[in-house]
Amino acid sequence: MLANSARTYYPGVLNDCYFDPAAALCLQQSTTTADTKAKPGANHCQPGVCRNSCVTDRHAPAIRTVVDNARDLLTIQRLSSPQRAALHQEIATMTALLKPLTAQDDA
């Protein structure tokens, strides 16, 4: 990906982004101007499904922290059903990001 000069590299905590605006899922639901579509929309990042995303061993500790924090939040008794569903979805998404990394460790 680094060999392609049409892409810009954006390092991140949960993943790195080799930004290609045409494939960027973070921009698909955006109503922003052309100027802001020149870089990734970090708040809309979907590292588990975006073709621009790259998750490595370096990201695993942060991903595990997200999973642990979501599990801690599930212990709150007053959470609504939609909040619980969102937390379960976040846990599933983040756990799926870790699977390829742990599969490499097992090999």
Side-chain angles (χ1 to χ4, degrees), residues 17-66:
C17 179
Y18 293 96
F19 187 64
D20 173 8
L25 294 180
C26 61
L27 300 181
Q28 288 185 357
Q29 297 177 2
S30 176
T31 58
T32 58
T33 64
D35 289 340
T36 56
K37 289 190 176 192
K39 59 183 177 181
N43 290 340
H44 302 287
C45 184
Q46 300 175 47
V49 292
C50 186
R51 291 186 348 204
N52 293 341
S53 178
C54 178
V55 179
T56 66
D57 291 336
R58 177 176 65 84
H59 302 104
I63 295 169
R64 286 188 189 100
T65 298
V66 170

Side-chain angles (χ1 to χ4, degrees), residues 7-13 15-19 38-40 58-59:
R7 293 180 175 217
T8 305
Y9 173 71
Y10 291 89
V13 176
N15 68 313
D16 293 336
C17 179
Y18 293 96
F19 187 64
K39 59 183 177 181
R58 177 176 65 84
H59 302 104

Side-chain angles (χ1 to χ4, degrees), residues 48-99:
V49 292
C50 186
R51 291 186 348 204
N52 293 341
S53 178
C54 178
V55 179
T56 66
D57 291 336
R58 177 176 65 84
H59 302 104
I63 295 169
R64 286 188 189 100
T65 298
V66 170
V67 171
D68 292 343
N69 289 344
R71 287 184 177 141
D72 287 344
L73 289 171
L74 283 171
T75 65
I76 298 172
Q77 298 298 316
R78 299 180 310 183
L79 290 178
S80 67
S81 293
Q83 289 171 321
R84 287 188 184 284
L87 288 168
H88 284 294
Q89 180 60 47
E90 185 69 5
I91 291 168
T93 300
M94 291 295 133
T95 301
L97 283 177
L98 288 172
K99 281 188 181 182

